[in-house]
Amino acid sequence: MKIKAVLSIFIAVFSISCNNQNKPGNALPVTYCIDSEKGDDNNSGTSRLAPWKSIEKLSDIMLSPGDSVLLRGGMTFRGSIRLRDLHGTPSQPVVISSYGG
């Protein structure tokens, strides 16, 4: 059986708020924030005040329709991203963008 995966990634010029009240496990979309300078991989990653440090943390989660991954602007991120179980849809894509300056 062929499995078709729809991967919609938009690099947007507009700002998406990284202040997110949704927690992982909710059916609602979640925004994950990554800051290679001030982040900590023990943080929740769902707030600008508690971002992850490394992009490798994305390998630990399942991105669902409408979820966003925001990298802090002006930072350098080293490593590999392995997006697993990506479940974006045309109407609710998984968005990868940036926040801050």
Side-chain angles (χ1 to χ4, degrees), residues 5-78:
V6 176
L7 171 62
S8 298
I9 298 176
F10 295 100
I11 305 293
V13 177
F14 58 90
S15 173
I16 299 174
S17 174
C18 200
N19 296 321
N20 186 13
Q21 300 303 314
N22 299 323
K23 301 292 183 215
N26 285 354
L28 297 173
V30 177
T31 299
Y32 298 95
C33 303
I34 305 175
D35 181 334
S36 65
E37 184 179 285
K38 297 179 182 177
D40 184 330
D41 285 345
N42 292 313
N43 287 341
S44 68
T46 58
S47 165
R48 190 181 304 193
L49 299 175
W52 288 329
K53 182 174 189 76
S54 67
I55 59 174
E56 282 88 358
K57 287 295 289 183
L58 294 174
S59 299
D60 297 341
I61 62 170
M62 181 176 68
L63 295 170
S64 299
D67 284 354
S68 298
V69 175
L70 302 179
L71 307 174
R72 183 170 166 219
M75 299 287 105
T76 299
F77 298 90
R78 300 193 193 294

